[in-house]
Amino acid sequence: MTKYIFVTGGVTSSLGKGIISASLAKLLQARGYKVTIQKFDPYINIDPGTLNPYEHGECYVTEDGAETDLDLGHYERFLNTPTSQSNNVTTGRIYQYVIDREREGAYLGKTVQVVPHITDEIKRRMCLLESEGQYDIIITELGGTVGDIESLPFIEAVRQLRWELGAHNSLVIHLTLVPFLAAAGELKTKPTQHSVKTLLEYGIQPDVLVCRTEHHLNADIRKKLALFCNVNVNAVIESIDAPSIYDVPLLMLKEQLDKTVLAKLKLSTKSEPNLDNWKIFLGKLKNPTAEVTIALVGKYVELPDAYKSINEAFIHAGAVNECKVRVKLIAAESINESNVDEKLKRVCGVLVAPGFGERGLEGKLEAIRYVRENNIPFFGICLGMQCAVIEFGRNVLKLKNANSYEMDPKTKYPVIHLMEAQKKVKNMGGTMRLGAYDCEIKKGTKTAAIYGKGKISERHRHRYEFNNEYLSQYEAAGLIASGINPDNNLVEIVELKSHPFFVAGQFHPELKSTVANPHPLFVSFVAASLAHSKAAKQK
C-alpha cells in the first residue's frame, strides 16, 4: 500500500516546505524507495500561468505542459524525475471541477458544499498519483500557513484521509519557526506551540515537527517542544539556516528525519541512503577553482524567484565546471546605448531572460548588440532568442524597425510572428505552446557539439515563433537555425557561426537542469564564459 506524508507550515510563510519536502524525498529515494511529491496551492487561480512573476515567482512548466508552482522545480532538481499535471493542484482547479460537475447534474440535485464535495475532490486528487501504481511514498505539500482561511478545506481533507488510510499509512510533518529574540538572547517556542494548537483544533496531531531556526536547538528546547506539542523528542527536527538548499538533505540526514518518518510508517530502515553523487556535487559546489560573473538581463530582476530555475541551472553548471557563477541581475529597461558598455564590460557572459511584453525590449536588444559585436558569450532563452533575431534583423540585415508581432502588430518586418494555432485564442491561461517538443539538431553546428546527439526534447512556454519567411536571409548572413522542430518546421535554436558562443533557444532549458543532469547548454555557456574571462585576464 502506498504511504502518505503531508507537509504543513505554521507561524509564517516562506519557511521552505518545498525544500524540506524535496530533501526528505531525496533521502527516501536514496534508500531505494519510489517517491513523488505533489503541491496543493490554496489560491483560486486555476494555475500560476496567468500570475505576474512578482506575485508568485516563476511559473514552472512540466513535460506534459502543466503550468505549475516553482516548488515543482525543486522536486525535479532534487529527485531527477519529472512531475506532471497531477503534481500541482490549486483551489481554483478543485472548485472549477466541482462546479462543472454540478452544472452537469452529477450530484443528483444535492446541495453542493465544501464538506463533503470539495473535500472529497481534494482527497481524490491527493490519491490520484497512487493509481499510477509506481510509488511507495507520496509526499503532499500544502501551500500557505495553518490558520489561513483558504487552507481550511485542504486541512480538513487531510484529517479525513488520514482516518480513511488507517494507522501507520500516513503522517503529518509540521514545518514551523522557532525565532531567536536578540534582546532576550533566547529561542522562543511559543509560536510553534500556538501553531500546533491551531492544527489540533482542526483535528490533526502532527507526528513530526521540523523547526526552522537561526540557532541550534538544545536538548531542553527539543524536550519542551515535544512535551507541549505532544510529539516524541526524536520527532523534533532542527532545520537550521543553510548556505545552500543543496545542503538540506544532508542536514536532514544528520537529524535522522528519514529514519523517524520510516519508523512511523512501519517501513524498513535497513538500507542506508546512497548519497555519493550528491556529496560529489556538493564538494565541487563548495570548492570552486575559478569564478565567473554572468549578467542576467531581464524584466523581473527585483525578485530573484522570477528566474529561480535559471539561477539553479547556473549552480549545476558551475559545479560541473568547478567554477563559482556570480549572477549579476540587470534590469533590461535600465540599459541603453550610452550606458551598455559600463553595465556589461566587466561580465564574462550575458543571458537574456524569458518574459512577456514590451517593457525592457530595447534594453535587451542593446545588450545583445553589444555582446555580438564584442564577442562576449551570449545565451538567449525564449524571448531572449526572439530578441536576438530582432537585433540581428535590425542591425545586420538592415530590416528597419524589425520586430515581433507581439510588440508591434504593424511592423513592416515581423521576424517573430504569431503561430497560426494562436491567432484565434481568446483565453490567456493554459493556451500557449506548452510542454515538451522534439527538436532535430543540424550536424556540424555548435549546438550539435553541445548536446552530442541529433534529436532532443525541450520544454516550451510561448505564443510567438521565428518567421520562416526570413530564414534564408538570416542564414545567408550567418545567424543559422541549428535546431528545428521536425513536426511543424519551427525554428527552435539559432546560433551565430562567427561568434565564440552565441546560442539562443525558443524553449526553456533551465526547466530540465537537475543536480544529477545539469543542462548541457548551461554547462557549455558557463565554460565559454570562463574561457572568455581567462582570455580577458591574459590581455
Side-chain angles (χ1 to χ4, degrees), residues 255-322:
E255 286 287 302
Q256 299 192 339
L257 174 61
D258 53 331
K259 272 191 176 179
T260 302
V261 163
L262 290 171
K264 288 182 179 293
L265 293 174
K266 300 292 185 197
L267 292 172
S268 171
T269 58
K270 283 181 183 176
S271 58
E272 286 299 312
N274 179 2
L275 292 166
D276 292 347
N277 290 336
W278 194 270
K279 289 173 182 174
I280 290 169
F281 161 74
L282 271 178
K284 289 181 177 179
L285 181 65
K286 293 184 175 186
N287 300 287
T289 58
E291 186 175 300
V292 68
T293 300
I294 292 174
L296 189 158
V297 178
K299 277 176 68 175
Y300 311 108
V301 293
E302 295 89 345
L303 183 74
D305 271 3
Y307 304 113
K308 189 67 180 171
S309 291
I310 292 174
N311 287 323
E312 298 306 316
F314 273 131
I315 290 172
H316 308 154
V320 173
N321 287 285
E322 297 187 31

Side-chain angles (χ1 to χ4, degrees), residues 312-415:
E312 298 306 316
F314 273 131
I315 290 172
H316 308 154
V320 173
N321 287 285
E322 297 187 31
C323 160
K324 181 174 180 61
V325 179
R326 293 196 180 277
V327 179
K328 181 181 180 183
L329 296 167
I330 301 177
E333 56 198 312
S334 73
I335 299 176
N336 55 51
E337 190 177 355
S338 62
N339 68 12
V340 64
D341 181 67
E342 180 59 35
K343 284 187 177 286
L344 298 181
K345 70 179 178 183
R346 292 182 185 87
V347 302
C348 306
V350 174
L351 183 146
V352 173
F356 295 92
E358 194 174 3
R359 182 168 66 86
L361 177 72
E362 295 301 323
K364 289 181 177 181
L365 298 181
E366 194 55 45
I368 293 168
R369 180 197 62 77
Y370 182 84
V371 296
R372 179 179 58 77
E373 291 177 353
N374 289 280
N375 286 329
I376 297 170
F378 164 74
F379 187 17
I381 296 177
C382 200
L383 181 61
M385 176 266 204
Q386 297 175 3
C387 287
V389 170
I390 295 167
E391 187 279 328
F392 196 86
R394 289 184 185 181
N395 298 320
V396 178
L397 299 180
K398 304 302 179 185
L399 303 174
K400 190 178 179 185
N401 296 325
N403 214 329
S404 165
Y405 184 84
E406 177 188 8
M407 314 304 174
D408 180 10
K410 295 178 181 176
T411 178
K412 186 179 177 183
Y413 302 108
V415 292

Side-chain angles (χ1 to χ4, degrees), residues 58-61 70 72-74 77 246 304-316 508-513 522:
E58 76 170 3
C59 175
Y60 189 82
V61 179
L70 61 79
L72 270 73
H74 292 312
R77 285 188 282 273
Y246 300 108
D305 271 3
Y307 304 113
K308 189 67 180 171
S309 291
I310 292 174
N311 287 323
E312 298 306 316
F314 273 131
I315 290 172
H316 308 154
H508 289 260
E510 72 276 17
L511 300 178
K512 292 189 74 167
S513 185
F522 276 89

Side-chain angles (χ1 to χ4, degrees), residues 180-253:
F180 180 79
L181 292 190
E186 60 183 359
L187 292 163
K188 290 295 182 184
T189 65
K190 196 62 74 178
T192 297
Q193 293 178 45
H194 282 298
S195 183
V196 172
K197 183 181 176 184
T198 302
L199 205 49
L200 285 166
E201 287 172 0
Y202 300 149
I204 292 178
Q205 166 66 58
D207 301 281
V208 178
L209 292 180
V210 176
C211 305
R212 273 301 300 273
T213 174
E214 296 174 357
H215 299 268
H216 290 289
L217 305 181
N218 61 35
D220 289 341
I221 293 279
R222 291 182 192 245
K223 191 173 179 182
K224 186 176 181 181
L225 282 166
L227 177 66
F228 287 108
C229 298
N230 202 28
V231 299
N232 299 333
V233 175
N234 69 349
V236 177
I237 305 295
E238 173 189 282
S239 178
I240 199 157
D241 290 357
S244 159
I245 60 171
Y246 300 108
D247 286 307
V248 179
L250 296 185
L251 292 174
M252 292 302 101
L253 178 67

Side-chain angles (χ1 to χ4, degrees), residues 114-155:
V114 173
V115 180
H117 301 98
I118 296 297
T119 51
D120 280 353
E121 178 56 18
I122 293 171
K123 286 189 292 181
R124 185 185 77 82
R125 301 269 181 155
M126 284 178 172
C127 298
L128 213 52
L129 289 166
E130 183 180 357
S131 63
E132 295 178 14
Q134 55 180 315
Y135 301 113
D136 302 313
I137 301 166
I138 295 173
I139 299 175
T140 304
E141 178 194 344
L142 300 187
T145 308
V146 169
D148 295 347
I149 290 172
E150 59 260 37
S151 298
L152 285 173
F154 294 103
I155 299 290

